[in-house]
Amino acid sequence: MARMIPAYCTESAPPGEKAVFAALRDAAGTEHWTVLHSLGIAQHERQVEGEADFVIVAPDAGLLVIEVKSHLSVARGSDGTWRLGQDPPTLRGPFQQAQEAMHSIRDFLRSKRVDLRDVPVLRAVWFTGVRARATLPDSPEWHSWQVLDSSDLATTAQAVERVMREGAQHLDAMIKYFGFGGHGPDRATADRIVATLRPRFEVVMTAGDRRQAREGQLAQFVEEQYHALDSAADNRGVLFTGPAGTGKTFLAAESAQREVAQGRTGRILCFNRLLGRSLREKLTDVVGLRVGTLHQEMLRLADLSGPPIDADNDFWARVLPERALEGLAERSAGEVGDFLIVDEIQDIATGPYLDLLDLLVKGGLRDGRVLLFGDFERQAIYGSEDAREVLRDRSPHLASFRLSENCRNLPRIGYQVNLLGHLTPGFREFRRTDDGIDPTIIKYVRREDQASILRKAIGDLRDEGFDLTEIVVLSPLGDSSVAASTSDPWLRQVLSPADGSKPIKGRLRYATIHSFKGLDAPAVIVTDLDGSVGSRFDALVYVGLTRATDRLTTLVETNTLRRLVGAET
């Protein structure tokens, strides 16, 4: 499995590039390769700027620039023009494009003093839609070994190795003493080539500019979701659905303020404790609104200061709702609201909970002013899989409004969620502008290996300008997570458990993925992703990865990563 940069292929990429990307990513025996996809070339030798479809850096083999053509027909006229599918004829053919990209990249690397002696710097064209190797005639403009075609997609590693081997042999024959001591690059030079190419073609914002841009974008883009509330204003009950990052919690808070502004009283409830605390802080000045989690509200109605020491699942799922119903019957005056708003409804849609919610709003769930917000894709890590059907039975007149545009995550984070979370159809539309920085996936073999990886990941984020208060470490595990159980002195000094309060200067927070659901942070490091531990693993991956607005680092056990990536294909 090659290292792909970026780790995803966009939906807008041509079909040939998608096919080559998948083939290179999944090819066996390519563990030491690095593949750069869609590499922009600012200093192109012929154009104002250009692009290389793929650049493969393979230790002890060479550097290969690949131009991909997806067309189902390829022809060259007697006048020298190329005709690729339905594209207009052009004199600048694919082999010339590959040559120009290769020379531009080689010249740039040399200008940065990267040692390319004995490194085969090669080019090829991959015709993914036709059998070009058998049909393209011999020509002085290209070598036969520079042609890849549709048949090579089934044996990608061998095909690329063939091109590099025959290309190196050509250079050996043409350049005196070339490769006399063996072909490069060695591992260190390969790493330097990759590190030199990537920063050259990326523009990184300063930390202050990034924070300002993020805050402005998130506010602007979520405000654009207001039309969802406006369009549903005439319906008594509305179910807003959408995947993570589409602004559901923001809209739930906004809808609560709109209801109160019209002289009504009511509740906004959620499932997650930290989210409940966050909502209370945001809505603390709104008079006539009760804010909190459903469990906190049930404890209050049951006149309990807290759960009993031996509280088990039966207490939360059956006993507490029954006692809350009894308490509500005794103090019904003033408890029934004009409206009811529930966030994370996918985790609350069970019979006993809905029985209570039904009595908390005038007209009940069937006829009352009820606004529900939920993600029925993968965020139901507590509730049942048939939560939506249960809601339909209780509230058959609910109007539905689907939120589809992601306004939280940068596009590259969303695409990695598609890959590792197996979302179908997954995120496709993003309001935020891509900043060119890829999420980071780091493999580990043993759980104890993660402490040093985590420390370096935090250091890398700090070097990029992120404050410790902007970084959150999430895990599917609790006390046994790497953040909670580490013996590393520095990590123990800077890590503190997230409790819903404002971050402490000089400290970064850690939490379980479960507890951080509904919240987000500028930079998120997800650790302990081992599919052999715990239930609803894919759902936890989805929730954890979507918490990051700008930077995402994922620590994944080796076999789990292989399964996650393999299952996607």
Side-chain angles (χ1 to χ4, degrees):
M1 186 188 305
R3 174 193 178 201
M4 307 298 293
I5 300 178
Y8 64 91
C9 188
T10 64
E11 290 291 331
S12 59
E17 289 187 29
K18 292 180 181 178
V20 172
F21 185 97
L24 289 170
R25 181 193 61 203
D26 301 331
T30 62
E31 289 75 16
H32 301 305
W33 293 7
T34 299
V35 180
L36 308 179
H37 174 224
S38 191
L39 181 69
I41 303 174
Q43 293 181 353
H44 194 275
E45 71 165 14
R46 184 177 182 273
Q47 306 176 118
V48 174
E49 59 182 21
E51 181 181 85
D53 292 334
F54 291 93
V55 178
I56 301 175
V57 183
D60 305 319
L63 183 154
L64 177 61
V65 178
I66 299 177
E67 176 73 19
V68 177
K69 295 300 178 186
S70 310
H71 308 84
L72 300 181
S73 64
V74 177
R76 193 176 190 186
S78 58
D79 58 354
T81 58
W82 286 84
R83 292 178 174 82
L84 304 173
Q86 301 301 313
D87 292 353
T90 177
L91 284 170
R92 184 168 170 263
F95 291 97
Q96 184 178 351
Q97 291 177 266
Q99 181 184 42
E100 292 167 356
M102 182 199 72
H103 284 308
S104 301
I105 290 171
R106 183 177 62 190
D107 292 345
F108 175 73
L109 290 171
R110 285 174 172 169
S111 74
K112 297 301 180 182
R113 302 184 183 278
V114 177
D115 186 3
L116 297 178
R117 289 176 299 174
D118 298 323
V119 175
V121 180
L122 308 165
R123 65 186 185 276
V125 178
W126 204 322
F127 298 94
T128 60
V130 296
R131 294 292 185 101
R133 281 204 291 142
T135 56
L136 280 184
D138 292 335
S139 171
E141 297 180 53
W142 63 82
H143 300 281
S144 60
W145 53 264
Q146 292 177 317
V147 182
L148 294 155
D149 65 15
S150 57
S151 64
D152 292 313
L153 291 171
T155 56
T156 303
Q158 295 90 328
V160 171
E161 288 168 352
R162 181 190 71 235
V163 173
M164 288 189 164
R165 182 178 61 255
E166 295 186 20
Q169 291 171 356
H170 170 73
L171 295 177
D172 289 343
M174 298 299 296
I175 303 174
K176 191 175 183 178
Y177 303 124
F178 183 86
F180 183 76
H183 295 130
D186 57 22
R187 295 288 180 84
T189 304
D191 289 343
R192 188 179 176 200
I193 288 172
V194 173
T196 302
L197 289 177
R198 291 309 295 177
R200 174 62 185 85
F201 302 110
E202 294 174 350
V203 178
V204 180
M205 302 173 71
T206 65
D209 288 344
R210 182 175 56 243
R211 292 188 188 100
Q212 184 176 2
R214 177 177 63 244
E215 292 168 2
Q217 286 177 351
L218 292 177
Q220 172 190 351
F221 296 151
V222 175
E223 285 172 2
E224 292 174 357
Q225 305 288 62
Y226 283 173
H227 72 277
L229 294 179
D230 295 336
S231 65
D234 295 331
N235 295 286
R236 291 291 295 168
V238 185
L239 173 63
F240 297 88
T241 66
T246 51
K248 296 185 298 299
T249 298
F250 188 98
L251 291 177
E254 170 64 16
S255 63
Q257 295 179 81
R258 288 190 176 196
E259 294 294 320
V260 171
Q262 296 178 61
R264 302 170 184 150
T265 61
R267 290 175 173 81
I268 177 170
L269 301 174
C270 63
F271 186 90
N272 182 280
R273 179 178 61 86
L274 296 183
L275 177 58
R277 181 163 183 170
S278 175
L279 286 171
R280 280 197 303 274
E281 290 179 355
K282 291 177 182 178
L283 302 172
T284 185
D285 296 329
V286 180
V287 179
L289 179 66
R290 191 178 294 279
V291 185
T293 69
L294 175 63
H295 293 102
Q296 290 168 339
E297 187 71 344
M298 288 191 294
L299 288 170
R300 184 187 70 82
L301 291 171
D303 201 23
L304 295 173
S305 59
I309 298 176
D310 59 349
D312 55 11
N313 288 336
D314 184 61
F315 171 79
W316 295 107
R318 184 185 61 81
V319 176
L320 182 58
E322 290 178 356
R323 294 187 62 175
L325 284 170
E326 294 171 359
L328 180 62
E330 295 174 358
R331 57 162 85 181
S332 58
E335 291 290 348
V336 180
D338 300 316
F339 65 89
L340 174 66
I341 299 170
V342 182
D343 196 8
E344 303 181 296
I345 188 62
Q346 73 277 357
D347 290 322
I348 293 175
T350 65
Y353 292 163
L354 294 177
D355 288 342
L356 176 63
L357 293 178
D358 188 57
L359 298 177
L360 291 179
V361 59
K362 295 176 182 177
L365 295 177
R366 177 178 291 270
D367 299 313
R369 179 58 171 165
V370 178
L371 302 178
L372 308 177
F373 296 80
D375 179 355
F376 298 90
E377 305 269 345
R378 287 285 174 83
Q379 285 208 64
I381 58 177
Y382 296 102
S384 63
E385 297 295 332
D386 60 349
R388 193 160 186 166
E389 287 67 30
V390 172
L391 283 176
R392 288 297 181 194
D393 289 341
R394 293 297 190 101
S395 303
H397 306 304
L398 276 177
S400 292
F401 194 100
R402 178 167 178 78
L403 302 165
S404 60
E405 293 187 332
N406 187 310
C407 53
R408 172 195 295 160
N409 312 118
L410 289 175
R412 298 189 185 216
I413 293 175
Y415 286 124
Q416 187 168 106
V417 175
N418 288 348
L419 173 68
L420 299 183
H422 310 149
L423 296 190
T424 303
F427 294 117
R428 293 187 177 181
E429 298 183 57
F430 297 88
R431 293 284 180 86
R432 301 186 64 197
T433 303
D434 184 34
D435 69 354
I437 306 298
D438 296 309
T440 301
I441 300 177
I442 305 175
K443 296 181 289 186
Y444 69 87
V445 177
R446 302 176 304 167
R447 286 187 58 202
E448 54 266 31
D449 296 338
Q450 294 183 92
S452 59
I453 300 173
L454 174 59
R455 181 166 181 165
K456 184 180 185 304
I458 295 170
D460 290 344
L461 289 169
R462 294 182 72 191
D463 291 342
E464 197 181 339
F466 285 90
D467 190 84
L468 285 176
T469 57
E470 296 180 298
I471 305 171
V472 173
V473 181
L474 299 179
S475 170
L477 306 178
D479 293 340
S480 60
S481 71
V482 61
S485 63
T486 182
S487 58
D488 182 285
W490 184 80
L491 289 176
R492 290 177 65 87
Q493 179 181 350
V494 300
L495 285 165
S496 61
D499 59 4
S501 59
K502 292 183 178 180
I504 303 172
K505 186 175 180 59
R507 305 293 291 266
L508 68 145
R509 296 164 292 165
Y510 69 89
T512 64
I513 294 173
H514 303 73
S515 66
F516 210 71
K517 190 164 67 68
L519 303 175
D520 57 53
V524 171
I525 304 172
V526 183
T527 66
D528 304 296
L529 288 185
D530 184 340
S532 65
V533 178
S535 59
R536 301 197 180 189
F537 180 73
D538 286 352
L540 288 171
V541 171
Y542 165 69
V543 174
L545 272 54
T546 51
R547 300 307 98 195
T549 63
D550 290 70
R551 292 294 179 269
L552 174 64
T553 302
T554 311
L555 278 58
V556 192
E557 188 269 332
T558 301
N559 292 327
T560 299
L561 178 60
R562 187 177 295 115
R563 179 185 69 79
L564 289 174
V565 174
E568 191 270 342
T569 59

